[in-house]
Amino acid sequence: MNRRDFMIGSGAGLGVVWPGSKTLTASVSPMASTTGIVFDDGGETKSERSNQSERTYHVLGVPLRAGSLYPGNENDAEAYREVQLLARLNAVGCRALDEGNVVIPSYLPHHSIPPIRSWPGPRIAWDCVRERIEPYLQQPMHVPLLIGCDCSVVVATTQALKGVSAENVHVLYIDGDFDDAAPDPKRCQSAASCAVWFLTHDSPFWSGPPLRSSQVTVIGWSNPSQSSEAGIRSMSLADMRRTGFGQAARQALEALPTSASVLLHLDIDVFRRQDLPAAYFPHAEGLSLAEGRELLGVLLRDPRIRIIEVSEYATLRDLDRSYVSKLVDLLSEGLKK
């Protein structure tokens, strides 16, 4: 299919299954999806035999802002590498491997046609991400750490985690917004702004099945829910300041089953603009870096964490890389042994 035919036929992406999703990644070497994992004949990794208690973090860039209208921020993961993310994680005792970037087609559409901006680009990207991280999730103590993505990536990572954890998946969604806007045929919205709605509803936009509302906790929001439906647990920024950030984090974790497989999603717009203006949509209200350090210092150490994703960093707002360096500080401090 040439690019013109793809653009004209992109309405096909509104079906429950994007028909080309398997072939889009077929050119990727099978070894690419298990880089950094060495298996023996019994299916157990050598690293797990030698140290069953050690996590391995697989750092993966997602070189696409699938929900954006204009190209320009498709390779934000490189900024994390420029400030030595891997070396800084290893320096605090983490076993971390750079697995490169998820391979995503470069010809995806950018448009403002309702209801989802740039559709079916987000769905194609989700399928690529899901297929890429599944091999890691099938191994205990292996944790994909995604960087350079937009918030909609949580649809892909949740689907991948459900494939290995069934009903035990829980999402801790740290964000300045609720991201639960329902798709509206009268207006164009980014896939990122609908991310939590996608997770908790049956729809043609992903293959599901959806999570129950009780399986998602939105943490740190300053912009309220856009949905009239109740049920999603949440902790507002104001509530957390009254409770204390460490205590709020402990409460969020205590509400989860001991058998839970937890996806930790961090949208950096949860931080206030004066501390971290490099967010794609910076917020005037939000966490200070000190408050974020206290929150993440509790959450990131929980042994039930199976996926970590850091979203909505915008390289074009951080030319000297000072803000991404602060993000790496928060990650390395939260994950240090």
Side-chain angles (χ1 to χ4, degrees):
M1 178 183 291
N2 62 37
R3 186 177 188 276
R4 181 177 181 275
D5 290 340
F6 174 85
M7 295 292 285
I8 292 172
S10 61
L14 293 176
V16 173
V17 178
W18 171 248
S21 62
K22 295 296 182 184
T23 59
L24 287 169
T25 54
S27 61
V28 182
S29 166
M31 290 301 294
S33 63
T34 54
T35 305
I37 302 180
V38 181
F39 296 94
D40 66 9
D41 291 339
E44 184 183 33
T45 69
K46 291 181 180 179
S47 63
E48 283 164 2
R49 283 206 315 272
S50 62
N51 188 348
Q52 291 286 350
S53 63
E54 183 181 13
R55 281 183 182 175
T56 299
Y57 297 96
H58 298 273
V59 177
L60 285 155
V62 183
L64 179 89
R65 191 165 300 281
S68 66
L69 179 56
Y70 301 110
N73 278 9
E74 278 84 358
N75 207 15
D76 294 329
E78 289 309 304
Y80 291 84
R81 297 182 172 112
E82 289 173 22
V83 298
Q84 305 301 311
L85 168 63
L86 210 67
R88 290 160 74 174
L89 289 176
N90 288 324
V92 296
C94 296
R95 174 174 166 76
L97 303 171
D98 190 342
E99 308 291 5
N101 290 341
V102 176
V103 177
I104 296 173
S106 61
Y107 54 77
L108 301 186
H110 282 81
H111 64 70
S112 56
I113 302 169
I116 305 297
R117 181 176 297 164
S118 303
W119 194 262
R123 175 58 187 271
I124 298 170
W126 299 340
D127 287 345
C128 295
V129 170
R130 175 182 53 79
E131 292 173 8
R132 184 72 167 85
I133 70 172
E134 280 177 344
Y136 303 122
L137 295 174
Q138 290 165 1
Q139 302 300 313
M141 308 303 292
H142 287 266
V143 179
L145 196 171
L146 276 62
I147 52 176
C149 41
D150 71 27
C151 282
S152 74
V153 76
V154 73
V155 180
T157 49
T158 296
Q159 192 167 6
L161 192 53
K162 281 180 71 67
V164 298
S165 301
E167 294 300 310
N168 288 325
V169 173
H170 288 259
V171 176
L172 297 179
Y173 197 85
I174 307 171
D175 200 310
D177 304 284
F178 236 89
D179 287 351
D180 63 345
D184 182 347
K186 296 180 180 178
R187 58 191 289 256
C188 178
Q189 300 176 93
S190 72
S193 70
C194 304
V196 171
W197 187 93
F198 290 143
L199 288 184
T200 53
H201 291 79
D202 279 313
S203 76
F205 295 103
W206 71 306
S207 57
L211 299 180
R212 299 184 301 276
S213 296
S214 60
Q215 291 176 273
V216 180
T217 306
V218 180
I219 297 173
W221 56 271
S222 52
N223 291 336
S225 170
Q226 299 183 57
S227 174
S228 59
E229 301 174 19
I232 292 179
R233 286 194 293 242
S234 75
M235 295 180 171
S236 71
L237 176 63
D239 289 339
M240 295 172 76
R241 284 194 168 137
R242 285 190 291 269
T243 303
F245 289 89
Q247 180 60 25
R250 285 185 283 273
Q251 289 177 1
L253 292 171
E254 288 167 1
L256 306 182
T258 56
S259 61
S261 293
V262 179
L263 190 165
L264 183 67
H265 172 95
L266 173 63
D267 180 344
I268 72 165
D269 74 13
V270 76
F271 295 99
R272 61 189 182 189
R273 180 187 291 112
Q274 68 185 77
D275 282 19
L276 204 63
Y280 199 63
F281 290 108
H283 289 46
E285 294 293 326
L287 302 176
S288 68
L289 291 176
E291 291 167 338
R293 186 174 295 110
E294 185 179 355
L295 176 69
L296 293 173
V298 175
L299 296 179
L300 287 171
R301 286 184 171 86
D302 192 275
R304 294 169 292 180
I305 299 292
R306 294 301 320 278
I307 300 175
I308 301 167
E309 55 197 33
V310 185
S311 69
E312 304 294 348
Y313 164 74
T315 302
L316 297 179
R317 297 179 185 268
D318 188 25
L319 298 182
D320 67 358
R321 304 297 186 257
S322 60
Y323 296 113
V324 73
S325 187
K326 292 179 180 180
L327 280 174
V328 172
D329 281 342
L330 290 173
L331 281 174
S332 57
E333 288 176 27
L335 293 171
K336 71 181 177 182
K337 295 195 172 181

